[in-house]
Amino acid sequence: MKAHRLQIACPGASVETVVEDPGRELAGLALIAHPHPLHGGSLDNKVAYTLARAALARGYLAVRPNFRGVGASTGAYDYGIGEARDLVAVAEHLAAQFGYLPWTLLGFSFGAYVQHRVAREIEARRLVMVGPAVSMYDFGAPAVPTAIVHGEEDELIPLAAVRAYAEAHAVPLHTIPGAGHFFHGKLVPLRTLVEGLLEP
């Protein structure tokens, strides 16, 4: 596996991005969004890292940008709007280098909200939302085939709210018993579940 740390120019920001190559023929491209940047979220978040490991295990190029204002990314927090624009720009930049392989979008918490917006702007095979903050942001109907992974004991985003969203939009909901919002002690079952969702 090869890992590279890049600075990708986006409108209004320069986005620090870690790109990891599984070292074999690529099954696709995976864009991974971390949790809220004003609450400690970064590309090094353990859930974002776990999503990257799941993607790599399935042969995807794993792309983890830092949202604007985080790490070496410039710019300032923009309520998910500018962040989504940045991820679209990152996707367009990398797609040109990798033969326009299909994108899979993965996002955790606030990152799921950002990816929900990104899915309206780029051609993506699927969206996997982990712990999506549906009780905090206006998600609306998903634009691409979508799956949700949620902790049964999530203390920040009530499972009932996620279940209501999933039922309203016919989105498959996968729960992890005993898992809170940050999946403490549950990263292995999270990775296993997501790997299953990423099967071709």
Side-chain angles (χ1 to χ4, degrees), residues 29-47:
L29 311 176
L31 183 62
I32 298 147
H34 66 70
H36 206 295
L38 300 186
H39 300 289
S42 78
L43 63 79
D44 293 316
N45 169 267
K46 65 182 183 181
V47 174

Side-chain angles (χ1 to χ4, degrees), residues 64-197:
R64 281 182 293 145
N66 260 334
F67 286 141
R68 47 180 60 194
V70 178
S73 292
T74 64
Y77 172 67
D78 194 33
Y79 305 93
I81 300 169
E83 288 82 358
R85 283 201 304 267
D86 293 344
L87 264 59
V88 169
V90 167
E92 290 174 346
H93 175 86
L94 290 172
Q97 298 182 30
F98 290 94
Y100 294 95
L101 288 167
W103 281 102
T104 287
L105 309 177
L106 304 101
F108 170 47
S109 195
F110 171 79
Y113 170 64
V114 174
Q115 294 286 45
H116 183 272
R117 298 180 65 95
V118 171
R120 301 173 187 167
E121 303 296 329
I122 70 172
E123 187 173 344
R125 174 188 289 168
R126 66 171 69 86
L127 167 63
V128 178
M129 301 195 298
V130 178
V134 297
S135 57
M136 297 180 178
Y137 303 96
D138 180 16
F139 275 67
V144 299
T146 299
I148 294 174
V149 179
H150 208 73
E152 285 190 355
E153 298 180 12
D154 193 311
E155 69 283 9
L156 294 181
I157 312 299
L159 178 58
V162 176
R163 182 173 286 116
Y165 171 85
E167 290 175 353
H169 299 291
V171 174
L173 171 60
H174 307 269
T175 59
I176 296 182
H181 187 66
F182 296 100
F183 295 90
H184 298 310
K186 299 294 181 180
L187 293 176
V188 172
L190 172 63
R191 173 176 167 170
T192 300
L193 199 162
V194 172
E195 281 186 29
L197 294 174

